[in-house]
Amino acid sequence: MNADAFPEELADALVRIQRLIRRRLRGGLTGPRLRGAEVELLRLVESRPGIGVSDAARRLHLAGNSVSTLVNQLVRDGYLVRETDPADRRAARLLLTGAAEQRLADWRRRRAELVGRHVSRLGEADREALRGALPALRRLAVMLHEEAEET
C-alpha cells in the first residue's frame, strides 16, 4: 500500500465500518430511531451526569442552540431530565432517564453481539491484527479529540 494513500484508506475503512454497524443496529430497533447527535449527547451525559448544555456543546463541538434543540427533543421523548443547577439557577444540568439508560445498554449489547459475531468469523491472524491495532486507534482518537479541543 502506498504510504500516501494509507490515511485515506484508513479513514474510509473506519467510516464504512461505523456506517455498516449503524445500519445493522437500526434494523432491530423497537422504539423511534435516534439520530447520531442524539446518541452522542446521551453517551456524553451518561459519562458526565449533570453536565450543562454549554459544556455539552463544547465537548460535542456543536453550537449551543443545536444542543439545546437536541436536549428539548430528548426531554420530550423521555430520555433526558433537565434540572436546575442549585449553584446557578440560570443553568441546567442534564441527567439520563431510566429509559435512556436501558436504550444505551441495549445498543451496546446489540453492537457487541454484531461486531463479535463478525470478528469471530475472521481468522486468528486478522483477530490478532485488530487487537494489536486497538492501542494505536485509541491514541489516534485522543489526538483527533485534542486537536478539536484546541480549535
Side-chain angles (χ1 to χ4, degrees):
M1 173 185 319
N2 179 339
D4 293 337
F6 176 70
E8 185 68 18
E9 289 188 35
L10 175 62
D12 284 347
L14 294 173
V15 167
R16 186 169 183 224
I17 290 167
Q18 179 63 24
R19 185 182 314 120
L20 289 167
I21 289 171
R22 227 182 0 252
R23 282 183 186 159
R24 293 292 307 275
L25 292 179
R26 279 185 205 144
L29 286 178
T30 56
R33 183 178 148 218
L34 294 175
R35 294 178 312 196
E38 291 171 323
V39 173
E40 284 184 57
L41 178 57
L42 290 176
R43 292 179 70 195
L44 178 62
V45 173
E46 180 182 45
S47 69
R48 297 180 183 285
I51 191 170
V53 174
S54 60
D55 191 23
R58 186 177 55 76
R59 290 180 181 278
L60 294 172
H61 307 285
L62 296 171
N65 61 344
S66 296
V67 172
S68 291
T69 300
L70 292 171
V71 167
N72 290 337
Q73 181 64 43
L74 291 167
V75 166
R76 188 171 40 255
D77 291 345
Y79 292 119
L80 278 182
V81 173
R82 183 180 19 222
E83 292 183 350
T84 303
D85 184 344
D88 179 358
R89 308 279 306 156
R90 298 168 295 163
R93 297 292 165 225
L94 304 174
L95 300 166
L96 294 183
T97 64
E101 290 171 352
Q102 183 177 348
R103 180 107 183 224
L104 288 172
D106 180 59
W107 173 78
R108 278 191 188 88
R109 178 190 54 76
R110 292 175 53 235
R111 183 179 66 170
E113 288 172 0
L114 172 67
V115 174
R117 185 171 59 249
H118 289 277
V119 167
S120 71
R121 293 170 52 195
L122 294 172
E124 183 59 31
D126 284 341
R127 288 194 304 271
E128 282 304 313
L130 290 173
R131 270 189 212 95
L134 283 175
L137 289 169
R138 287 184 185 119
R139 286 190 297 275
L140 178 60
V142 166
M143 289 188 304
L144 288 166
H145 180 75
E146 288 171 349
E147 182 179 286
E149 290 290 309
E150 293 169 1
T151 58

